[in-house]
Amino acid sequence: MPFGGRRRNRSKKTARSQAEHENVKHWSSTRLVSVDGDDSGVTGVTLKQKTGDAEETIPLEGVFIYVAGSKPITDFLTENQVEFLDDGGVAVSDEMETNVPGLFAIGDIRNTPFKQVVVAAADGCIAAMAIDRYLKGRKKVRVDWVHDL
């Protein structure tokens, strides 16, 4: 697959540019202890520096957690069958199909730099339509908004 190192460098550049915003703070050598909340949703996070015992709670209304350099859990796949990218993600086509015919991969297992539920949901939609095409032996995905009368 053509993305490997280029994608990683682009992700680092994006992270650096985001960190330049005054309302963004980078927490290095820090461990996330908890995401705090109640019935209304997220109310804050509790962090702990790796070099000390003190914890700090930061009040907030939402949180995006991204673990830089994390690899997807793929130990249930055999590497001699499924192709992997250099970053540990499963290599897929535009229709989310792996190099194994009929095997599709979506979400975090692809190890994209976009760790969001909406990305995984979009992957799922793409894969579902491609799986329908595969199971019915069609050459193209059949879109659901075209209705033959």
Side-chain angles (χ1 to χ4, degrees):
M1 293 313 236
F3 298 112
R6 277 193 320 217
R7 186 168 61 189
R8 200 171 302 116
N9 288 337
R10 196 173 355 172
S11 181
K12 287 179 184 179
K13 286 179 185 176
T14 300
R16 280 193 297 269
S17 70
Q18 292 299 317
E20 293 173 1
H21 294 275
E22 66 182 59
N23 64 341
V24 174
K25 182 172 181 180
H26 178 252
W27 297 85
S28 61
S29 301
T30 304
R31 183 171 63 90
L32 177 66
V33 176
S34 64
V35 175
D36 308 317
D38 56 27
D39 289 341
S40 68
V42 174
T43 59
V45 294
T46 302
L47 305 172
K48 180 180 176 185
Q49 292 290 322
K50 289 183 179 178
T51 58
D53 291 332
E55 293 183 353
E56 180 179 357
T57 299
I58 302 167
L60 25 99
E61 296 176 358
V63 62
F64 290 101
I65 301 169
Y66 176 74
V67 180
S70 64
K71 286 191 170 190
I73 299 169
T74 58
D75 58 351
F76 63 94
L77 299 170
T78 55
E79 289 191 38
N80 61 349
Q81 293 178 346
V82 177
E83 183 180 336
F84 290 88
L85 300 172
D86 292 340
D87 64 8
V90 174
V92 296
S93 69
D94 288 344
E95 292 185 348
M96 305 299 152
E97 188 169 18
T98 69
N99 62 304
V100 177
L103 181 63
F104 297 77
I106 64 167
D108 289 351
I109 199 167
R110 292 181 43 232
N111 206 25
T112 70
F114 312 105
K115 309 292 189 213
Q116 304 296 320
V117 171
V118 69
V119 174
D123 286 357
C125 176
I126 292 166
M129 293 179 77
I131 290 166
D132 178 67
R133 175 200 50 80
Y134 178 83
L135 292 175
K136 293 184 177 164
R138 291 194 298 267
K139 292 185 184 203
K140 292 183 176 183
V141 169
R142 183 174 180 182
V143 295
D144 59 359
W145 59 84
V146 175
H147 301 282
D148 298 325
L149 297 177

